[in-house]
């Protein structure tokens, strides 16, 4: 089944407890901070029903249509179709959104790859993950990710901290487990469910295993409280902040105040080995859609910088062309990693097709770590006018408009209103509060940089370089036996 936008809106009107700026939100879909991004998600659902998008966004199985976003990948074509489905969405909405479901669902496929481990704890848990993977295909909920606890002072053992600093089980009942704690989650306040799992950390201490918990939490369940950061939408004139007003993906501190998780939604708990497995494999699929978003981010920087260079005639200068080429290399570097990760895809333990892990994780490091440098390159190419240009109101007000029209009109193709729009777009992409927030999102939302590097280290096959050096240096074969 594929849902409609209206069904999605009905689903999140479930009486959930949502707070923003000290205000209790009465209706999430119509609240100004949420309305634009909720509309994007609703549009995403409606697109699946439209004939022109159906081939890219849906597939048929057992006489039913399902979402390509949630289809477990088995072939290279499945991955190409996922790419096309993201392309169709971002082209349709005219911007970049990341946490809209497809980018988090793969975390459950990773867990299924460790199903044998779950079965070691209890065979029911292994079945639960398979059931949930099927359930998202069949019911098309909006699924997000809950990894990061507040954690507290990590120089102290967890037993010496407030136990709620990390989500934990407080009680087992016949209906399920009761959990307490909190997680940071983007989009939780307007999503249907989250896959909650242990945070990044050294999962080696058996004593912490009470905190080694993986489950599905319904975002409107009793005891779930969403305390959101303040929104960017509605803060300034959309004419001045066109991205912030349409694509702000509101992040939430989700508090779990004795929340009942029914047994069928539990994947594991009190099992440190499962936490280790989750952290080692979490992004093996979901890194792909995450990195893919950065390709579109790069396109926005290239488009803005190139338009500016054309408007002002700077495009003809070789030094400017070289700076534009730097942006293109970044963009093509991301594309090359994504294309190659599909071309050299690998079979997973559960029989799915994973993007080539070493290439995908190396591509994530390139895309995320170089973004600050590339944002600065684009900022520099567009020049100082993105910081000093007056607001749209000044362009329209009698007294200032004639002067602004005069100084912002460049030639017959570029009149002042289009130049103003380009500068406002560029400011919101590169310089605004929202731009800074998006940069932080990219650096942290799918784990921080050190964790991205750890994934590269674990997935790269060091035997090739080792053997090459062994032969080149004429060392004995014995050295290859050294443990890593
Ligand atoms: C905009 C945004 C959106 C987010 N959305 C989500 C979401 O949807 N779901 C979710 O679960 N989480 C989300 N997060 C949280 C994100 O996953 C965390 O911020 C991230 O895992 C880092 O955790 P932390 O913030 O507690 O930083 P810390 O753990 O306090 O780390 C801070 C810094 O300390 C250093 N550091 C810490 N530990 C180590 C180590 N072991 N080795 C080396 N260096 C280390 C690193 O430099 C690190 O960047 C989001 C974060 C942001 C900023």
């Amino acid at each position: 089944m594929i849902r409609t936008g209206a069904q999605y809106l009905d689903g999140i009107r479930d009486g959930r407890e949502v707070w923003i700026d000290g205000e209790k939100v009465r209706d999430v879909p119509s609240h100004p901070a949420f309305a634009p991004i909720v509309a994007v998600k609703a549009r995403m659902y409606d697109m699946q029903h439209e004939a022109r998008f159906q081939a890219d966004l849906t597939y048929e199985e057992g006489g039913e249509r399902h979402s390509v976003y949630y289809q477990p990948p088995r072939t290279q074509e499945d991955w190409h179709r996922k790419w096309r489905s993201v392309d169709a969405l971002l082209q349709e909405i005219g911007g970049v959104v990341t946490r809209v479901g497809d980018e988090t669902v793969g975390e459950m496929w990773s867990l299924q790859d460790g199903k044998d481990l779950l079965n070691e704890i209890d065979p029911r848990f292994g079945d639960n993950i398979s059931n949930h993977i099927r359930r998202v295909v069949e019911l098309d909920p909006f699924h997000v990710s809950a990894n990061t606890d507040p954690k507290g002072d990590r120089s102290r053992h967890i037993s010496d901290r407030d136990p709620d600093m990390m989500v934990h089980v407080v009680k087992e009942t016949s209906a399920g487990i009761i959990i307490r704690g909190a997680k940071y989650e983007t989009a939780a306040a307007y999503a249907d469910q989250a896959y909650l799992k242990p945070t990044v950390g050294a999962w080696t201490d058996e004593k912490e295993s009470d905190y080694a918990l993986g489950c599905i939490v319904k975002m409107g369940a009793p005891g779930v409280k969403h305390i959101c950061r303040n929104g960017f939408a509605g803060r300034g004139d959309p004419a001045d902040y066109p991205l912030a007003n349409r694509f702000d993906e509101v992040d939430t501190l989700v508090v779990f105040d004795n929340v009942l998780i029914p047994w069928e939604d539990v994947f594991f708990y009190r099992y440190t080995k499962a936490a280790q497995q989750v952290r080692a494999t979490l992004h093996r699929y979901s890194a792909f859609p995450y990195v893919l978003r950065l390709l579109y981010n790069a396109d926005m920087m290239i488009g803005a910088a190139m338009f500016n260079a054309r408007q002002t005639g700077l495009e003809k200068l070789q030094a400017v062309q070289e700076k534009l080429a730097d942006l293109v290399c970044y963009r093509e570097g991301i594309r090359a990693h994504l294309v190659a990760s599909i071309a050299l895809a690998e079979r997973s333990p559960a029989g799915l097709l994973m993007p080539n892990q070493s290439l995908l994780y190396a591509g994530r490091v390139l895309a995320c770590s170089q973004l600050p440098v590339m944002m600065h390159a684009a900022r520099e190419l567009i020049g100082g006018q993105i910081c000093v240009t007056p607001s749209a109101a000044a362009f329209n007000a009698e007294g200032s408009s004639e002067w602004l029209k005069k100084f912002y009109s460049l030639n017959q193709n570029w009149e002042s209103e289009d130049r103003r729009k380009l500068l406002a777009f560029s400011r919101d992409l590169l310089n605004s509060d929202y731009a800074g927030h998006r940069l932080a999102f990219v650096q942290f939302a799918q784990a921080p940089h050190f964790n991205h590097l750890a994934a590269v280290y674990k997935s790269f096959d060091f035997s090739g370089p080792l053997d090459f050096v062994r032969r080149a240096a004429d060392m004995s074969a014995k050295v290859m036996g050294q443990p890593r």
Side-chain angles (χ1 to χ4, degrees), residues 353-373:
L353 195 72
M354 315 183 287
N356 182 283
Q357 295 293 281
S358 181
L359 287 166
L360 178 60
Y361 286 138
R364 183 169 68 171
V365 168
L366 164 79
C368 298
S369 66
Q370 291 309 296
L371 181 61
V373 181

Side-chain angles (χ1 to χ4, degrees), residues 99 145-149 151 154 184-186 200 251 437 440-441 444-445 447-448 450:
R99 198 131 295 174
S145 165
N147 303 305
T148 309
D149 306 82
K151 300 191 272 278
R154 278 161 274 169
Y184 289 101
E185 292 175 46
T186 304
V200 176
D251 314 283
H437 182 82
F441 179 89
F444 285 103
F450 76 86

Side-chain angles (χ1 to χ4, degrees), residues 387-400:
C387 331
V388 296
T389 295
S391 64
F395 275 77
N396 294 325
E398 210 179 313
S400 53

Side-chain angles (χ1 to χ4, degrees), residues 308-359:
N308 182 69
R310 285 198 176 158
Q311 281 181 352
T312 53
L314 292 171
E315 183 200 1
K316 297 184 182 65
L317 298 179
Q318 189 183 334
V320 170
Q321 290 174 358
E322 285 171 9
K323 287 184 194 173
L324 284 161
D326 275 341
L327 287 179
V328 173
C329 289
Y330 171 67
R331 191 254 186 216
E332 290 296 75
I334 296 172
R335 187 164 74 103
H337 279 90
L338 292 173
V339 169
S341 74
I342 300 178
L344 299 176
E346 301 164 277
R347 198 55 63 191
S348 84
L352 297 181
L353 195 72
M354 315 183 287
N356 182 283
Q357 295 293 281
S358 181
L359 287 166

Side-chain angles (χ1 to χ4, degrees), residues 1-13 42 45-46 48-49 139-142 192:
M1 183 194 110
I2 41 177
R3 289 206 294 172
T4 62
Q7 286 167 332
Y8 157 61
L9 298 182
D10 279 353
I12 59 171
R13 285 193 168 112
Y45 276 119
D46 283 337
Q48 299 186 134
H49 294 267
L139 302 182
D140 200 14
F142 180 7
D192 297 306

Side-chain angles (χ1 to χ4, degrees), residues 64-323:
E64 287 262 12
R65 292 212 84 77
H66 303 293
S67 170
V68 159
Y69 298 116
Y70 290 163
Q71 181 183 16
R74 294 201 164 77
T75 65
Q76 285 168 323
E77 174 52 18
D78 288 345
W79 281 106
H80 287 298
R81 212 161 30 170
K82 285 183 188 298
W83 190 326
R84 289 200 296 276
S85 69
V86 170
D87 186 65
L89 171 69
L90 302 189
Q91 300 288 350
E92 173 70 5
I93 63 170
V96 177
V97 287
T98 305
R99 198 131 295 174
V100 284
D102 66 302
E103 178 262 334
T104 42
V105 71
E107 294 176 350
M108 290 204 297
W109 306 333
S110 302
L111 186 58
Q112 192 182 35
D113 285 338
K115 198 173 163 179
D116 291 347
L117 200 66
L118 302 185
N119 285 337
E120 268 180 37
I121 324 172
D122 184 334
R124 276 181 311 165
F125 294 155
D127 290 344
N128 286 351
I129 183 67
S130 303
N131 292 341
H132 271 283
I133 289 171
R134 205 168 42 245
R135 195 178 166 276
V136 291
V137 169
E138 285 170 4
L139 302 182
D140 200 14
F142 180 7
H143 174 95
V144 295
S145 165
N147 303 305
T148 309
D149 306 82
K151 300 191 272 278
D153 178 354
R154 278 161 274 169
S155 66
R156 292 158 67 187
H157 191 272
I158 186 66
S159 55
D160 298 327
R161 294 178 235 164
D162 179 335
D164 292 347
M165 286 295 175
M166 304 230 300
V167 172
H168 58 117
V169 179
V170 288
K171 199 171 160 193
E172 266 184 43
T173 72
S174 56
I177 53 177
I178 311 281
I179 65 167
R180 279 188 73 75
K183 294 273 185 188
Y184 289 101
E185 292 175 46
T186 304
Y190 51 94
D192 297 306
Q193 64 177 44
Y195 167 23
L196 181 148
K197 57 220 161 300
T199 197
V200 176
W203 286 99
T204 49
D205 184 345
E206 277 302 316
K207 288 188 192 123
E208 291 203 346
S209 64
D210 267 3
Y211 297 82
L213 160 70
C215 60
I216 291 290
V217 188
K218 306 286 185 324
M219 293 291 90
V224 174
K225 297 162 192 291
H226 301 261
I227 307 174
C228 305
R229 65 152 167 82
N230 60 345
F232 292 99
R235 252 201 244 173
D237 184 344
D240 293 319
Y241 297 96
L243 299 175
N245 274 286
R246 286 157 63 210
F247 306 120
D248 180 25
E249 301 183 64
V250 183
D251 314 283
T252 305
L253 176 69
V254 187
V255 177
F256 307 99
D257 183 15
N258 291 338
V259 176
L260 170 70
I261 308 294
W263 285 115
E264 62 268 24
D265 293 344
V266 178
F267 297 147
F268 61 88
Y269 80 103
R270 296 208 172 108
Y271 197 59
T272 311
K273 246 165 106 180
Q276 286 162 346
Q277 154 83 13
V278 165
R279 292 312 325 178
T281 61
L282 187 63
H283 297 133
R284 71 166 40 149
Y285 305 94
S286 65
F288 187 95
Y290 191 73
V291 174
L292 179 56
R293 276 14 186 240
L294 289 166
L295 187 68
Y296 291 87
N297 215 49
D299 278 350
M300 291 201 292
M301 291 193 287
I302 293 171
M306 188 62 164
F307 265 136
N308 182 69
R310 285 198 176 158
Q311 281 181 352
T312 53
L314 292 171
E315 183 200 1
K316 297 184 182 65
L317 298 179
Q318 189 183 334
V320 170
Q321 290 174 358
E322 285 171 9
K323 287 184 194 173

